[in-house]
């Protein structure tokens, strides 16, 4: 799958377990770990609720990617959002993140991320801005839960990632497994 306009819009990180991440000039992705210096980096799960349940489980949420097209949609609905505010490490444009299958490879410079699943939106979205949760997670007309708050991945090759870098998308072999929450 080649999308010539697929690019990184912004990168963000935070050493704290906070809702938002601070925009950076560049981030360093570390294979098997995640974003260097980010609170969610680690070979084992770092998300607080998941650590409480089982601290030894693998970290399938090393990198959070969100499409800037969602920011556009939320801004037009009256929400004040920008890169990193919703907790993502990499803000993209031109990549259909939510429709990618599990195992998709995203190559950004020397860095490589394998897609593991969907971000599961939480109450912190409404704490940030009332109604935001309903804007990114809702039941569609067919009764399915739609999650639009980005995707998660693991780092399989280290490298620096910065704004304006192109993203190369490689789909896994068929049959494709649709994304589910991780």
């Amino acid at each position: 799958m080649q999308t010539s306009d697929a690019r990184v819009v912004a990168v963000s990180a935070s050493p704290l377990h906070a809702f938002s991440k601070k925009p950076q000039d560049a981030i360093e992705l570390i294979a098997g770990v995640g974003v260097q210096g980010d609170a969610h980096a680690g070979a084992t799960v770092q998300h607080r609720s998941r650590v409480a349940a089982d601290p030894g489980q693998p970290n399938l949420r090393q990198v959070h990617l969100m499409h800037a097209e969602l920011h556009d949609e939320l801004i037009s609905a009256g929400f004040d959002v920008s890169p990193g505010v919703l907790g993502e490490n990499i803000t993209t444009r031109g990549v259909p993140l939510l429709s990618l299958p599990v195992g998709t490879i995203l190559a950004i410079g020397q860095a490589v991320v394998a897609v593991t699943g969907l971000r599961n939106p939480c109450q912190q979205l409404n704490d940030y801005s009332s109604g935001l949760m309903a804007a990114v997670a809702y039941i569609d007309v067919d009764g399915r839960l739609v999650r639009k708050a980005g995707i998660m991945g693991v780092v399989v090759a280290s490298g620096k990632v910065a704004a304006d870098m192109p993203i190369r998308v490689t789909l896994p072999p068929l049959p494709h497994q649709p994304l589910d929450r991780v």
Side-chain angles (χ1 to χ4, degrees):
M1 165 188 250
Q2 188 56 19
T3 51
S4 59
D5 59 343
R7 303 199 80 68
V8 174
V9 172
V11 294
S12 305
S14 175
L16 306 173
H17 280 278
F19 177 70
S20 297
K21 296 185 184 290
K22 293 180 175 43
Q24 309 288 318
D25 291 333
I27 56 175
E28 187 74 26
L29 299 187
I30 308 297
V33 175
V35 179
Q36 183 175 32
D38 191 81
H40 293 100
T44 57
V45 69
Q46 300 297 309
H47 193 270
R48 285 189 241 177
S49 65
R50 292 169 190 258
V51 169
D54 178 5
Q57 64 185 304
N59 187 2
L60 302 178
R61 302 166 54 100
Q62 294 175 356
V63 182
H64 178 197
L65 299 100
M66 186 175 290
H67 47 301
E69 293 85 353
L70 177 60
H71 288 177
D72 299 342
E73 180 183 322
L74 294 172
I75 289 167
S76 70
F79 294 100
D80 182 17
V81 296
S82 59
V85 164
L86 300 179
E88 75 273 18
N89 299 113
I90 301 174
T91 309
T92 67
R93 185 170 295 280
V95 181
L97 295 178
L98 302 177
S99 65
L100 298 174
V102 171
T104 297
I105 297 297
L106 303 174
I108 310 167
Q110 298 299 311
V112 177
V113 174
V115 175
T116 56
L118 294 169
R119 174 189 184 191
N120 193 32
C122 66
Q123 180 57 38
Q124 288 181 320
L125 291 165
N126 280 344
D127 294 344
Y128 174 75
S129 183
S130 180
L132 188 54
M133 178 77 159
V136 299
Y138 55 87
I139 304 296
D140 70 10
V141 295
D142 296 320
R144 293 182 300 239
L145 177 59
V146 175
R147 294 177 178 94
K148 296 174 24 175
I151 65 170
M152 308 306 286
V154 296
V155 182
V156 295
S158 301
K160 176 180 161 182
V161 176
D164 295 322
M165 293 179 80
I167 302 170
R168 293 178 312 284
V169 179
T170 304
L171 297 176
L174 294 170
H176 291 159
Q177 178 184 349
L179 296 178
D180 198 1
R181 70 180 179 92
V182 293

